[in-house]
Amino acid sequence: MVIGDKWVDLSTVQVMGIVNVTPDSFYDGSRSESTADILSTVKDMLKCGASIIDVGGYSSRPSAADISVKEEIDRIVPAIQAIKSHFPEAIISLDTFRSEVAKAGLDAGADLINDISGFSIDPKLIKVVADYGVPYILMHMKGTPQTMQNETEYDNLFKEIYCYFSEKIAVLESAGVKDIIIDLGFGFAKTVEQNHTLLNEMQHFQTLEKPMLLGVSRKSMIYKKLGTTPEEALNGTIALNAIGISKGANILRVHDVKEAVELVKLLEVRG
């Protein structure tokens, strides 16, 4: 897949590093509010082998506070500009569900859009993605970050999520969006048990014929299951990422790039 002006070979598992320019993300190790912190984090991630840097200015943890479009733009634009200025080779994903933020971020240098809402919150996002001709990460979620944990009822978990992707992909492709990556949305409108069920069934989504992003890094499906905290969830993250790779994941979205890159290398050797 071409992202920006670079070819990214998704037949080999790629690692996406998380950079949250927010004060309230669920894992404080991912928060980078000053430009110096952002650049230091990105430098380390690129050095460790990250293929993509995912920048987000809106915390999507359960019950996170809502912020204005202007505040989100004010967070992400300087971050993207600084990263592109210091690391022009970096591929930047912008984590947003708002069309105005997406446009501002793409104008600042972002290379693809990572939308947790599947354009359900702001349908105008489709046109922005199509007009800019950038790849789009389509995630499954019900509700909003403020309501999603109250929306975990499914008649058939796998069937409903599969149909969600089938329908959304058709809409995107008809609008001219060419490169689509799917994300099953672990931790979004799903219980701990549902998350693990979905991970175990992840390989079946390969029939959609789209690359798959796996985002389980330090999430509650790990630390609640183990009775620990996000800070203690690195071992669990590695374990679930290994399962995800075996189920067909093409991209790992992680807080800990070095460990994820090492995992990918070891699994490639195991072959």
Side-chain angles (χ1 to χ4, degrees):
M1 180 180 291
V2 176
I3 307 178
D5 59 356
K6 299 176 181 65
W7 170 256
V8 179
D9 182 6
L10 295 180
S11 66
T12 299
V13 179
Q14 304 294 324
V15 174
M16 171 188 283
I18 301 168
V19 178
N20 288 317
V21 288
T22 61
D24 58 345
S25 296
F26 79 93
Y27 172 52
D28 61 12
S30 70
R31 301 172 194 162
S32 301
E33 294 184 71
S34 73
T35 300
D37 284 346
I38 293 166
L39 294 177
S40 176
T41 299
V42 172
K43 180 180 179 180
D44 288 344
M45 287 181 170
L46 294 174
K47 183 179 178 181
C48 289
S51 302
I52 305 168
I53 302 297
D54 191 49
V55 176
Y58 185 108
S59 176
S60 56
R61 65 177 174 79
S63 303
D66 191 25
I67 64 170
S68 69
V69 169
K70 181 181 183 303
E71 185 172 356
E72 189 178 355
I73 289 173
D74 288 346
R75 289 177 179 180
I76 62 98
V77 166
I80 293 170
Q81 290 175 334
I83 294 168
K84 278 295 185 181
S85 174
H86 287 78
F87 309 104
E89 76 283 7
I91 296 173
I92 299 177
S93 164
L94 172 57
D95 184 350
T96 188
F97 53 82
R98 291 163 159 169
S99 58
E100 293 174 73
V101 178
K103 187 176 186 306
L106 291 167
D107 286 339
D111 301 292
L112 68 157
I113 297 298
N114 181 10
D115 175 16
I116 63 169
S117 79
F119 61 84
S120 62
I121 295 176
D122 186 354
K124 291 182 289 186
L125 187 55
I126 301 173
K127 187 174 188 307
V128 174
V129 172
D131 286 350
Y132 279 79
V134 295
Y136 176 79
I137 300 172
L138 169 66
M139 197 189 84
H140 174 269
M141 179 178 74
K142 294 196 294 182
T144 68
Q146 290 74 34
T147 66
M148 63 184 178
Q149 293 311 106
N150 298 319
E151 303 200 33
T152 58
E153 294 293 325
Y154 298 85
D155 292 329
N156 183 308
L157 180 70
F158 175 81
K159 182 178 179 181
E160 288 183 39
I161 295 176
Y162 194 95
C163 289
Y164 168 98
F165 282 119
S166 295
E167 293 166 4
K168 297 268 186 180
I169 288 168
V171 171
L172 288 164
E173 291 182 337
S174 68
V177 179
K178 296 181 175 60
D179 295 310
I180 301 166
I181 298 163
I182 64 170
D183 176 352
L184 303 188
F186 293 98
F188 291 82
K190 300 167 190 73
T191 65
V192 170
E193 291 74 20
Q194 288 168 341
N195 284 316
H196 285 277
T197 297
L198 200 57
L199 180 64
N200 289 331
E201 296 181 345
M202 187 174 172
Q203 72 276 12
H204 299 300
F205 289 91
Q206 290 180 295
T207 59
L208 291 167
E209 298 183 338
K210 300 297 180 188
M212 290 193 289
L213 181 148
L214 177 65
V216 297
S217 183
R218 295 183 180 268
K219 287 187 174 179
S220 62
M221 67 182 290
I222 299 168
Y223 66 81
K224 286 185 178 179
K225 189 82 169 177
L226 299 176
T228 57
T229 65
E231 288 71 24
E232 299 172 286
L234 176 57
N235 288 345
T237 297
I238 294 169
L240 296 197
N241 278 336
I243 293 171
I245 291 172
S246 75
K247 301 284 185 177
N250 304 96
I251 303 171
L252 304 179
R253 182 179 181 271
V254 299
H255 300 93
D256 308 282
V257 169
K258 179 177 182 291
E259 290 81 356
V261 170
E262 289 177 348
L263 170 66
V264 171
K265 288 180 179 177
L266 289 172
L267 290 180
E268 285 175 348
V269 169
R270 177 175 172 269

